[in-house]
Every structure is written in structure tokens, then in C-alpha cells.
Amino acid sequence: MDLAQTASAVEAIIAALAPETSRLLVVHVEGELAGWLNVRRDPFELVRHWGAVHHVQTRPAVRGRGLGMQLMREVRTLARKEMGLEQLHLAARAGVGPLPGSSTSCGESPP
């Protein structure tokens, strides 16, 4: 992705932010943005108690410090206490970094 594509994607996520339906969590290291994720409520009434975690990302230079885990712990609390969500869904794709054990160590169960 180039800068224009990245900027466009970030603008779309920011435009959709709303306290009840979409939140952005960030983590900083030494005053600089080091990682982020987006949690969204499902809009359909039948599954409105579900949320989905999107774009869990950390800068390559700070990986291995547990920042992704920190974001995942925080999103669980925010989703439950502030958004009233009962379930969180997370999809991961292979080939983007060390995933084995990441979600199970956060307390999630594999499908």
C-alpha cells in the first residue's frame, strides 16, 4: 500500500467512529504512535451484542513488546463496560507476523 491508499483507509475508519458503534484504541511508545485497533459493533439487531476487532497493528520496530496483547486486553474491557458487547470476534490472516498462540493467550478460544 502506498501513502495515498493508507490515508484513504484511515480516513474511512475515522469517519465511521462513534461511541456506540466504533472505537479506535491506540498505544504509544515514547510519545509516538506504536499500534492501534478498531472495534465495531455489529449493526444488525439480532447480533447487536457482537463486536468485531479489526486492524490490530503495531509498528514493526516495536513488535515483541506485548503491545498487541495490551491492546487486546484493553479492547475486552472497553467492549464490555463501555459498549455493552457480550462477544468479540477476531479474524487473523497468515503471513503477517507471529500469530501462533496470540489469541489463545488473550483468553479467546479458537473456532
Side-chain angles (χ1 to χ4, degrees):
M1 287 186 100
D2 64 22
L3 185 56
Q5 290 172 313
T6 303
S8 175
V10 170
E11 287 173 8
I13 291 169
I14 291 171
L17 294 177
E20 294 297 317
T21 58
S22 181
R23 302 278 189 97
L24 185 67
L25 295 179
V26 299
V27 62
H28 292 89
V29 171
E30 297 176 6
E32 291 191 23
L33 180 64
W36 62 292
L37 67 73
N38 178 229
V39 60
R40 298 181 214 155
R41 173 187 300 282
D42 196 296
F44 301 103
E45 192 62 36
L46 185 60
V47 289
R48 191 163 164 72
H49 62 288
W50 290 4
V53 178
H54 298 270
H55 312 291
V56 181
Q57 300 177 355
T58 56
R59 284 191 2 242
V62 297
R63 289 189 183 148
R65 298 185 190 183
L67 300 175
M69 296 294 290
Q70 181 181 340
L71 286 166
M72 291 302 294
R73 280 191 299 272
E74 185 64 26
V75 77
R76 290 174 69 189
T77 301
L78 178 134
R80 183 177 49 251
K81 292 185 176 179
E82 295 184 27
M83 296 177 75
L85 298 173
E86 297 174 21
Q87 294 182 25
L88 286 176
H89 296 250
L90 170 67
R93 61 186 172 115
V96 295
L99 295 176
S102 295
S103 60
T104 55
S105 61
C106 287
E108 284 80 29
S109 56

